């Protein structure tokens, strides 16, 4: 039995009774066959006892439910409950389900010669259907699930139950046989499915192979599995993590999911045989990825939910595992300053079984609290930049400070999309101020092929621009888009160093014969910060009409003229003012912060009504005499409380952006 885990269980029993009670409560539900799965609406559903491994028990019939069930995440909870209580029911449940699964879910054949050579005959559509496409009858053996089982749950049988009466010789033999079968899938099939090593599934599968090797070193193939997995994970890092540290999909959720797995893999190797498997460049790449994690973390301590992402504390988990592996206390303290001790502690409790030193964590929390109470300025505040441009991902992050009250902006524009996890959001952004997210990405909500999937991916649910009520490119399915033009961030300039510092960020993309340029001006002063949005659209005909959309993270709003105020009781508010050429209107929207969960929001639309000589008298209309090019301007003004701001002369034309804000005039070319 793993001594470190025994000590962790003792620590929880002595110091964290609430965590113990939560684990036991979830384990008791698992004993009854009740699990939370994708498509269950966040409530437990009966999966069978033992589970019906190939059946979908959820009301929504989310295809992810069968996959997640076959990862056996609930085994981890059952093992933890056994470690905390010694109650054999929990251990017996795991071993009983293991025996049942092995009997019910036999692996499809893999043509491997006696010499261990993978047959070319196996590279067929049939094999891909069995190990990648995930037909219901083959779903338990999708290669991704083979990887998940190895690093999520199955290794715990060896780590925690090996020396107990619940692991009989029959189970011990069956476990080693089945782990070998899993490793063969990961060794022979996975590299053929993902030859480029540029898919997050492949990274996860290689992590699974590494865990199989490290946790079952007595198996004959363990040495070659470890060598292959380490080499392929190095290749995954090189192919999937870009210059600056961001994962190539540009989705912070997948960036952090993969990063935590890589860090866990490094932990597993260190626990068994030191760092021999990985190069120094690999470790430095992970450190760089942690920097990207922090830049894409809102000041509130949750990740920006760009693309198929969730707005959760996943960045804090990445930083926490960075401390587990590298002992980096500076990044951990930064996480505390962003998310607060309660959030960081909550993430720690969910990861405590991987923590090498729980007592040290508690001591660090006390030190951080003392320094924050004294208001001491830490060296890392000056050392980590407040502005970052991740060029391969076409993303820019700007914030005023590394604390919870900071004003922050995440801005992105990358077309054609690089993966199906991307949304239809060119030139969109996420904006936070005073501890409250104000302009949000809607998140992912579901992977089911249902109307909500298209809605959450739509440009009309994002903070972007459309023409004539059409999407910027064709939505074909949940995982497929039509032809797209080129889109990218083209510049990031510091316009001046006065208070406020004015940054200019420009992006452009081409769609349906139009060229859209969006420029953001950040005036993040302490007195009254603002974010100006300037849009230029080329190639418009007289009958074309432009619409601007703002996904606003509020449920209350009212418009008066060109100004709309958003508020919630007791929270910072947001004012959005238009330039007079567009008519504002509000409609209902949705925001999803986690899979299968959504809540109401508001979307502010600006609709272009008039064009040409008739509008010359409108504020901001004077510069729009050219039929082919039009300019639009809006300004976002965060407020610590409800109030008014004097905005005058707001417009954009070919000469630049103009605005009077509280008596100060701004003109930017």
């Amino acid at each position: 039995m793993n001594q470190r885990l025994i000590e962790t269980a003792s620590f929880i029993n002595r110091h964290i009774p609430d965590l113990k009670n939560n684990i036991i409560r979830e384990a008791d539900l698992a004993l009854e066959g009740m699990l939370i799965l994708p498509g269950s609406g966040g409530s437990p559903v009966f999966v069978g006892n033992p589970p019906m491994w190939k059946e979908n028990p959820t009301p929504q019939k989310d295809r992810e439910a069968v996959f997640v069930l076959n990862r056996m995440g609930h085994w981890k909870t059952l093992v933890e409950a056994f470690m905390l209580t010694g109650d054999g029911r929990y251990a017996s449940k795991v071993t009983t389900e293991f025996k049942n699964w092995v009997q019910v879910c036999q692996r499809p054949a893999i043509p491997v010669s006696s010499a261990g050579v993978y047959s070319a005959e196996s590279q067929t559509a049939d094999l891909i259907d069995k190990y990648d496409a995930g037909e219901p009858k083959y779903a338990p053996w999708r290669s991704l699930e083979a990887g998940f089982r190895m690093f999520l749950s199955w290794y715990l049988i060896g780590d925690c139950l090996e020396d107990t009466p619940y692991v009989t010789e029959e189970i011990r033999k069956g476990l080693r046989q089945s782990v070998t079968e899993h490793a063969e899938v990961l060794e022979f099939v996975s590299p053929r499915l993902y030859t480029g090593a540029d898919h997050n599934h492949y990274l996860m599968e290689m992590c699974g192979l590494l865990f199989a090797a490290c946790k079952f070193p007595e198996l004959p193939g363990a040495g070659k599995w470890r060598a292959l997995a380490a080499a392929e994970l190095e290749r995954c890092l090189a192919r999937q993590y870009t210059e600056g540290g961001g994962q190539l999909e540009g989705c912070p959720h997948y960036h952090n999911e993969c990063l935590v797995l890589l860090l866990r893999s490094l932990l597993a190797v260190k626990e068994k045989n030191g760092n021999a498997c990985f190069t120094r460049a690999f470790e430095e790449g992970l450190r760089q990825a942690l920097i990207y994690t922090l830049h894409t973390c809102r000041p509130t301590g949750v990740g920006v939910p760009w693309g198929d992402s969730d707005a959760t504390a996943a960045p804090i988990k990445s930083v926490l595992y960075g401390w587990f592996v590298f002992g980096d206390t500076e990044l951990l303290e930064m996480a505390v300053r962003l998310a607060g001790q309660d959030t960081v502690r909550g993430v720690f409790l969910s990861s405590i079984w991987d923590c090498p030193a729980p007592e040290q964590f508690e001591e660090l929390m006390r030190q951080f609290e003392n320094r924050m109470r004294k208001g001491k300025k830490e060296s890392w505040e000056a050392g980590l930049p407040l502005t970052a441009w991740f060029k391969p991902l076409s993303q820019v992050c700007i914030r005023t400070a590394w604390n919870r009250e900071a004003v922050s902006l995440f801005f992105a524009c990358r077309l054609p999309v690089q993966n199906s996890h991307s949304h239809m959001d060119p030139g969109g952004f996420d904006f936070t101020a005073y501890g409250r997210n104000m302009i949000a990405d809607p998140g992912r909500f579901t992977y089911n092929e249902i109307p909500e999937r298209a809605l959450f991916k739509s440009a009309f649910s994002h903070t972007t621009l459309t023409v004539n009520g059409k999407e910027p490119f064709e939505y074909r399915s949940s995982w497929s888009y039509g032809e797209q033009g080129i889109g990218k961030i083209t510049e990031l300039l510091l316009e001046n160093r006065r208070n406020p510092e004015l940054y200019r960020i420009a992006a452009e993309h081409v769609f349906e014969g139009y060229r859209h340029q969006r420029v953001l001006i950040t005036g993040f002063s302490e007195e009254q910060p603002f974010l100006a949005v300037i849009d230029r659209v080329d190639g418009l005909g007289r009958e074309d009409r432009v619409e601007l959309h703002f996904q606003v993270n509020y449920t209350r709003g009212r418009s008066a003229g060109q100004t709309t105020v958003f508020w919630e009781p007791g929270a910072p508010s947001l004012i959005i003012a238009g330039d007079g050429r567009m008519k504002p209107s509000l409609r209902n929207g949705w925001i999803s912060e986690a899979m299968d969960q959504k809540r109401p929001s508001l979307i502010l639309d600006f609709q272009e009504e008039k064009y040409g000589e008739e509008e010359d008298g409108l504020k901001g209309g004077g510069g729009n005499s050219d039929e082919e090019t039009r300019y639009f301007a809006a300004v976002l003004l965060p407020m610590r409380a409800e109030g008014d701001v004097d905005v005058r002369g707001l417009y954009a034309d070919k000469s630049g952006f103009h605005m009077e804000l509280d008596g100060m005039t701004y003109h930017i070319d």
Side-chain angles (χ1 to χ4, degrees), residues 418-437:
Q418 303 299 299
N419 61 86
S420 299
H421 287 298
S422 299
H423 290 192
M424 305 169 79
D425 51 14
F429 59 89
D430 189 275
F431 180 67
T432 298
Y434 308 140
R436 173 162 186 120
N437 177 250

Side-chain angles (χ1 to χ4, degrees), residues 304-563:
V304 173
W306 200 254
D308 281 341
S309 294
D310 299 331
T312 66
I316 308 305
K317 187 174 183 177
S318 291
V319 172
L320 190 64
Y321 274 87
W323 175 69
F324 290 172
V325 174
F326 302 122
D328 193 329
T329 59
E330 290 186 344
L331 295 186
L332 182 59
E333 183 166 359
M334 187 178 295
V336 172
R337 289 174 177 263
L338 292 176
Q341 280 224 17
D342 289 345
T343 297
V344 174
R345 190 176 297 277
V347 175
F348 167 73
L349 294 180
S350 70
S351 310
I352 191 171
W353 296 93
D354 280 336
C355 180
E359 296 88 350
Q360 187 181 352
F361 173 84
E362 295 293 344
E363 177 59 28
L364 284 172
M365 292 298 104
R366 287 189 287 270
Q367 294 177 15
F368 297 163
E369 185 177 4
N370 290 335
R371 282 202 286 268
M372 292 170 69
R373 188 183 298 117
K374 295 176 181 179
K376 184 178 178 181
K377 183 177 178 65
E378 299 304 319
S379 60
W380 51 257
E381 270 197 286
L384 194 63
L386 298 174
T387 302
W389 181 3
F390 301 102
K391 292 185 179 181
L393 304 177
S394 203
Q395 297 175 348
V396 165
C397 302
I398 297 177
R399 69 182 68 218
T400 56
W402 289 102
N403 60 51
R404 195 171 182 83
E405 292 296 303
V407 181
S408 77
L409 171 73
F410 173 95
F411 179 49
C413 185
R414 182 170 67 159
L415 289 176
V417 300
Q418 303 299 299
N419 61 86
S420 299
H421 287 298
S422 299
H423 290 192
M424 305 169 79
D425 51 14
F429 59 89
D430 189 275
F431 180 67
T432 298
Y434 308 140
R436 173 162 186 120
N437 177 250
M438 297 181 175
I439 300 294
D441 191 273
R444 60 175 172 169
F445 180 58
T446 183
Y447 286 153
N448 265 2
E449 199 67 72
I450 56 178
E452 285 85 352
R453 177 64 167 159
L455 175 66
F456 274 85
K457 283 200 157 195
S458 169
F460 297 94
S461 296
H462 291 79
T463 302
T464 187
L465 176 148
T466 57
V467 178
N468 299 329
K470 296 177 60 179
E471 301 279 10
F473 46 92
E474 180 188 2
Y475 176 91
R476 291 178 177 173
S477 72
S478 176
W479 306 106
S480 175
Y481 293 120
E483 185 177 351
Q484 303 151 56
I486 301 296
K488 60 182 179 180
I489 293 177
T490 57
E491 65 179 8
L492 170 62
L493 297 174
L494 178 61
E495 293 285 344
N496 67 49
R497 296 184 180 274
R498 299 193 304 266
N499 187 18
E501 288 190 334
L502 297 180
Y503 279 94
R504 169 191 170 97
I505 319 154
E508 62 180 45
H509 73 104
V510 178
F511 65 103
E512 297 287 334
Y514 312 112
R515 177 177 174 267
H516 172 215
Q517 181 187 63
R518 169 161 283 183
V519 175
L520 301 187
I521 307 293
T522 64
F524 292 166
S525 70
E526 293 182 4
E527 294 78 18
Q528 180 53 69
F530 70 85
L531 175 65
V533 183
I534 303 101
D535 291 293
R536 167 179 169 163
V537 186
D538 299 323
L540 294 166
R542 183 169 294 274
E543 299 303 317
D544 292 326
R545 294 292 179 265
V546 174
E547 309 99 14
L548 304 181
H549 314 286
F550 294 86
Q551 172 67 262
V552 186
N553 199 353
Y554 291 86
T555 58
R556 304 184 185 197
R558 61 175 181 268
S559 296
Q562 293 302 119
T563 299

Side-chain angles (χ1 to χ4, degrees), residues 178-368:
S178 192
V179 169
T180 299
E181 291 181 351
H182 280 71
E184 289 175 348
V185 171
L186 302 171
E187 178 186 4
F188 296 117
V189 178
S190 295
R192 273 80 182 172
L193 297 178
Y194 308 105
T195 56
D198 56 356
H199 198 291
N200 68 74
H201 283 202
Y202 189 57
L203 184 152
M204 295 176 184
E205 290 167 29
M206 289 299 103
C207 286
L209 184 60
L210 187 67
F211 263 73
C214 290
K215 298 298 184 176
F216 300 91
E218 72 279 9
L219 295 178
K224 67 174 180 175
W225 300 338
R226 185 170 58 248
L228 173 64
E232 290 303 281
L233 286 174
E234 296 249 8
R235 197 160 69 100
C236 284
L237 187 70
R239 298 296 302 273
Q240 295 185 35
Y241 282 78
T242 63
E243 180 184 357
Q247 202 255 3
L248 61 83
E249 294 179 89
C251 299
H253 174 88
Y254 280 93
H255 169 91
N256 286 303
E257 287 284 320
C258 292
L259 178 56
V260 166
L261 273 178
L262 290 169
L263 291 166
R264 285 191 69 215
S265 296
L266 200 54
L267 268 180
V269 169
K270 286 186 173 185
E271 191 172 72
K272 292 295 182 180
N273 66 341
N275 296 333
C277 284
F278 294 107
T279 66
R280 181 171 296 180
F282 181 81
E283 295 195 13
E284 288 304 312
L286 297 184
R287 293 176 186 271
Q288 191 65 39
L290 286 168
I291 301 301
Y292 175 87
T293 288
L294 283 166
H295 279 294
T296 55
C297 180
R298 291 172 178 164
T300 56
V302 303
V304 173
W306 200 254
D308 281 341
S309 294
D310 299 331
T312 66
I316 308 305
K317 187 174 183 177
S318 291
V319 172
L320 190 64
Y321 274 87
W323 175 69
F324 290 172
V325 174
F326 302 122
D328 193 329
T329 59
E330 290 186 344
L331 295 186
L332 182 59
E333 183 166 359
M334 187 178 295
V336 172
R337 289 174 177 263
L338 292 176
Q341 280 224 17
D342 289 345
T343 297
V344 174
R345 190 176 297 277
V347 175
F348 167 73
L349 294 180
S350 70
S351 310
I352 191 171
W353 296 93
D354 280 336
C355 180
E359 296 88 350
Q360 187 181 352
F361 173 84
E362 295 293 344
E363 177 59 28
L364 284 172
M365 292 298 104
R366 287 189 287 270
Q367 294 177 15
F368 297 163

Side-chain angles (χ1 to χ4, degrees), residues 139-203:
W141 274 103
R142 189 173 68 154
S143 56
L144 181 61
E145 272 55 68
F148 260 93
R149 285 192 288 274
M150 293 299 96
F151 65 69
L152 180 63
S153 52
W154 281 40
Y155 76 91
L156 291 169
I157 299 177
D159 267 7
C160 303
L161 304 182
E162 174 73 21
D163 300 325
T164 70
Y166 309 100
V167 176
T168 63
E169 186 58 34
E170 178 190 5
I171 291 176
R172 190 174 291 109
K173 182 179 179 181
L175 178 63
R176 282 151 178 70
Q177 175 61 36
S178 192
V179 169
T180 299
E181 291 181 351
H182 280 71
E184 289 175 348
V185 171
L186 302 171
E187 178 186 4
F188 296 117
V189 178
S190 295
R192 273 80 182 172
L193 297 178
Y194 308 105
T195 56
D198 56 356
H199 198 291
N200 68 74
H201 283 202
Y202 189 57
L203 184 152

